[in-house]
């Protein structure tokens, strides 16, 4: 729906929506249905008055279906609405990285998805410079969490740790892509790390997801060096109402310090700022941790996508409220699928078991499957 805000006094309206089916092009507000994937011109509106006509047109494009990359920056005009750089985290010009002096262990972006027909294909993490002299066991540790929402806050407690991430990957720091590798980059001086999801994750039931980059402090088997610098939008954002500064749902980018169990500290926001003690003012930092999504298309259909191997052992499953515990599991990835073949949850089993929080799953039959093909079923 496109809202008409031209004001009162018009005798009639005329909408033009390229590529869309429109029931009533003279209605006050436009309802346009796009049936074919593609990129289309923004609709135009002509309002007819007794004194003549007034026409509204916008240079924005509308992308229907296909793949798109999301970010929290207002990317309409470089240098005016956004600009990329390195967000300093100390008074001496230090940058977010493995040796930051603020004891930052992880950063992440909070995203809200507008449509249940969207799928997450992966996430791009933009870096301000190529890491130098990295070892073979240095990784960019990427995790996708399902947050628990409150009235003005969200939390990964429960998901962070025992319940694990919905999707996860450790990307070797040597997998840094530049324009010379054919990668799209918002600035020629930047590079990108790409996490791909083999089974695109259905956003139905997940209107909110949290994309995190972790491992900036010492962790077993994960090393991130001081050379790793996340690209950030460093231009000031629009002002928020004062009461919204304490509302986590009004912010986008967050950090977790070493020893903390959750991402509790808003750092940046399109539409707001974080307080900078050194300058005694508000500054805006948005991390360029950008999910890659697709819309309209359904990548998987039918139960055949998760056909079980009858020779495999059935898993033991117990349920208490919204927590489902699976035992008798070999360590490794365990997934929950819907009957449409779409992967709904994933977690890493440890010590023969794994726990899923199923509060966000829809009603119906769900199938748990391990990497070697053992299965269990439950009904919500």
């Amino acid at each position: 729906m496109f809202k008409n805000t031209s004001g009162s006094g018009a005798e009639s309206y005329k909408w033009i929506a390229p590529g869309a089916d429109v029931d009533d092009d003279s209605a006050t507000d436009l309802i346009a249905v796009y049936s074919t994937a593609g990129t289309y011109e923004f609709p135009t509106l002509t309002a007819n008055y007794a004194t003549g006509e007034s026409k509204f047109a916008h240079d924005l494009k509308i992308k229907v279906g296909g793949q798109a990359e999301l970010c929290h920056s207002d990317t309409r005009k470089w240098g005016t609405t956004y600009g990329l750089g390195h967000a300093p985290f100390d008074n001496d010009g230090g940058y977010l990285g493995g040796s930051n002096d603020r004891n930052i262990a992880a950063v992440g972006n909070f995203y809200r998805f507008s449509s249940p027909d969207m799928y997450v294909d992966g996430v791009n993490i933009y870096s301000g410079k190529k890491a130098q002299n990295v070892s073979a066991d240095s990784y960019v540790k990427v995790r996708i969490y399902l947050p628990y929402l409150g009235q003005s806050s969200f939390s990964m407690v429960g998901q962070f740790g025992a319940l694990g991430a919905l999707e996860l990957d450790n990307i070797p720091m040597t997998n840094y892509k530049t324009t010379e590798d054919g990668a799209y980059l918002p600035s020629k001086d930047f590079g990108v790390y790409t996490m791909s999801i083999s089974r695109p994750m259905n956003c139905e039931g997940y209107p909110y997801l949290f994309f995190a980059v972790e491992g900036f402090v010492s962790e077993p088997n994960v090393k991130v060096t001081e050379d790793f610098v996340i690209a950030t939008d460093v231009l000031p954002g629009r002002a928020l109402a004062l009461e919204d500064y304490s509302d986590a749902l009004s912010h986008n980018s967050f950090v977790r310090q070493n020893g903390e169990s959750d991402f509790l500290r808003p750092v940046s926001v399109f539409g707001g700022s974080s307080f900078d003690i050194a300058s005694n003012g508000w500054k805006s930092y948005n991390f360029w941790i950008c999910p890659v999504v697709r819309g309209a298309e359904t990548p998987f259909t039918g139960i055949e996508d998760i056909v079980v191997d009858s020779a495999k052992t059935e898993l033991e499953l117990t349920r208490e409220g919204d927590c489902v515990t699976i035992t008798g599991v070999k360590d490794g990835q365990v997934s929950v699928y819907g009957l449409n073949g779409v992967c709904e949850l994933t977690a890493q089993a440890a010590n023969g078991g794994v726990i899923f929080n199923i509060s966000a799953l829809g009603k119906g039959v769900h199938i748990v499957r391990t990497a070697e093909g053992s299965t269990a079923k439950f009904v919500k």
Side-chain angles (χ1 to χ4, degrees), residues 265-285:
R265 304 170 184 274
V267 168
S268 57
V269 24
F270 165 56
S273 303
S274 56
F275 192 73
D276 178 67
I277 298 176
S279 62
N280 194 34
W282 299 99
K283 287 188 176 181
S284 175
Y285 297 133

Side-chain angles (χ1 to χ4, degrees), residues 247-301:
D247 182 349
L249 301 184
S250 296
H251 298 262
N252 296 326
S253 298
F254 297 79
V255 302
R256 175 175 66 82
Q257 289 191 306
N258 191 30
E260 294 178 337
S261 61
D262 219 329
F263 293 79
L264 305 174
R265 304 170 184 274
V267 168
S268 57
V269 24
F270 165 56
S273 303
S274 56
F275 192 73
D276 178 67
I277 298 176
S279 62
N280 194 34
W282 299 99
K283 287 188 176 181
S284 175
Y285 297 133
N286 285 315
F287 300 126
W288 267 56
I289 303 169
C290 306
V292 178
V293 300
R294 69 172 69 226
E297 302 89 355
T298 301
F300 301 106
T301 58

Side-chain angles (χ1 to χ4, degrees), residues 112 151-153 238-251 266 269 271-273 282:
R112 313 181 197 192
Q151 185 173 356
S152 61
S153 64
R238 299 173 185 167
L240 281 177
L242 184 60
E243 60 270 18
D244 288 336
Y245 283 108
S246 60
D247 182 349
L249 301 184
S250 296
H251 298 262
V269 24
S273 303
W282 299 99

Side-chain angles (χ1 to χ4, degrees), residues 291-325:
V292 178
V293 300
R294 69 172 69 226
E297 302 89 355
T298 301
F300 301 106
T301 58
I303 191 64
E304 63 272 13
D305 285 312
I306 49 171
V307 171
V308 299
D309 185 342
S310 58
K312 299 297 181 181
T313 305
E314 285 284 327
L315 303 171
E316 297 181 17
L317 181 152
T318 58
R319 178 179 173 185
E320 183 175 348
D322 283 331
C323 286
V324 171
T325 302

Side-chain angles (χ1 to χ4, degrees), residues 3 24 37 40 58 68 141 203 211 216 219 231 250 268 300 328:
K3 189 74 174 176
D24 185 359
Y40 302 97
H58 207 298
K141 184 177 178 181
C203 291
F211 296 80
F216 295 118
E219 296 186 22
S250 296
S268 57
F300 301 106

Side-chain angles (χ1 to χ4, degrees), residues 35-374:
S35 302
T36 304
T39 302
Y40 302 97
E41 297 293 331
F42 203 83
T44 59
L45 170 64
T46 301
N48 295 294
Y49 299 87
T51 55
E53 67 178 32
S54 177
K55 189 174 183 178
F56 172 84
H58 207 298
D59 60 0
L60 292 176
K61 306 286 186 182
I62 294 176
K63 184 168 185 177
V64 177
Q67 275 194 334
E69 183 182 69
L70 306 181
C71 74
H72 282 315
S73 300
D74 180 352
T75 58
R76 287 177 295 177
K77 190 172 183 180
W78 175 270
T80 300
T81 60
Y82 79 112
L84 298 183
H86 309 148
F89 279 81
D90 62 36
N91 296 334
D92 300 320
Y95 301 126
L96 174 60
S99 62
N100 66 81
D101 69 350
R102 294 292 177 89
N103 201 28
I104 294 173
V107 301
N109 278 0
F110 180 63
Y111 281 91
R112 313 181 197 192
F113 293 92
S114 60
S115 170
D117 295 328
M118 296 174 71
Y119 290 78
V120 178
D121 285 347
V123 57
N124 292 331
I125 301 98
Y126 290 95
S127 178
K129 64 176 182 177
K130 185 175 181 178
Q132 302 294 322
N133 303 317
V134 297
S135 62
D137 58 351
S138 292
Y139 298 92
V140 177
K141 184 177 178 181
V142 184
R143 302 292 184 264
I144 304 176
Y145 293 106
L146 174 64
Y148 298 134
L149 293 183
Q151 185 173 356
S152 61
S153 64
F154 69 91
S155 172
M156 258 75 65
V157 172
Q159 290 290 345
F160 185 85
L163 297 184
L166 295 173
E167 296 285 344
L168 53 95
D169 197 8
N170 292 336
I171 306 171
M173 293 191 74
T174 53
N175 288 5
Y176 180 90
K177 304 298 182 185
T178 66
T179 52
E180 291 151 0
D181 304 306
Y184 163 77
L185 296 172
S187 172
K188 66 178 181 179
D189 298 324
F190 291 2
V192 63
Y193 296 94
T194 297
M195 169 189 171
S196 297
I197 299 175
S198 58
R199 269 184 189 269
M201 185 168 60
N202 188 356
C203 291
E204 184 171 3
Y206 309 133
Y208 307 95
L209 289 174
F210 193 83
F211 296 80
V213 179
E214 305 179 357
F216 295 118
V217 295
S218 297
E219 296 186 22
N221 304 318
V222 178
K223 298 178 181 178
V224 176
T225 76
E226 64 275 6
D227 291 321
F228 182 70
V229 178
I230 285 186
T232 56
D233 183 359
V234 295
L235 285 184
R238 299 173 185 167
L240 281 177
L242 184 60
E243 60 270 18
D244 288 336
Y245 283 108
S246 60
D247 182 349
L249 301 184
S250 296
H251 298 262
N252 296 326
S253 298
F254 297 79
V255 302
R256 175 175 66 82
Q257 289 191 306
N258 191 30
E260 294 178 337
S261 61
D262 219 329
F263 293 79
L264 305 174
R265 304 170 184 274
V267 168
S268 57
V269 24
F270 165 56
S273 303
S274 56
F275 192 73
D276 178 67
I277 298 176
S279 62
N280 194 34
W282 299 99
K283 287 188 176 181
S284 175
Y285 297 133
N286 285 315
F287 300 126
W288 267 56
I289 303 169
C290 306
V292 178
V293 300
R294 69 172 69 226
E297 302 89 355
T298 301
F300 301 106
T301 58
I303 191 64
E304 63 272 13
D305 285 312
I306 49 171
V307 171
V308 299
D309 185 342
S310 58
K312 299 297 181 181
T313 305
E314 285 284 327
L315 303 171
E316 297 181 17
L317 181 152
T318 58
R319 178 179 173 185
E320 183 175 348
D322 283 331
C323 286
V324 171
T325 302
I326 315 295
T327 55
V329 184
K330 291 184 179 180
D331 290 355
Q333 183 168 289
V334 181
S335 302
V336 177
Y337 297 91
L339 289 183
N340 59 356
V342 173
C343 182
E344 300 171 317
L345 296 170
T346 62
Q348 294 292 314
N351 301 318
V354 64
I355 301 174
F356 287 100
N357 184 294
I358 63 169
S359 59
L361 297 186
K363 294 182 180 179
V365 178
H366 303 270
I367 298 175
V368 179
R369 192 168 191 262
T370 65
E372 72 275 8
S374 298

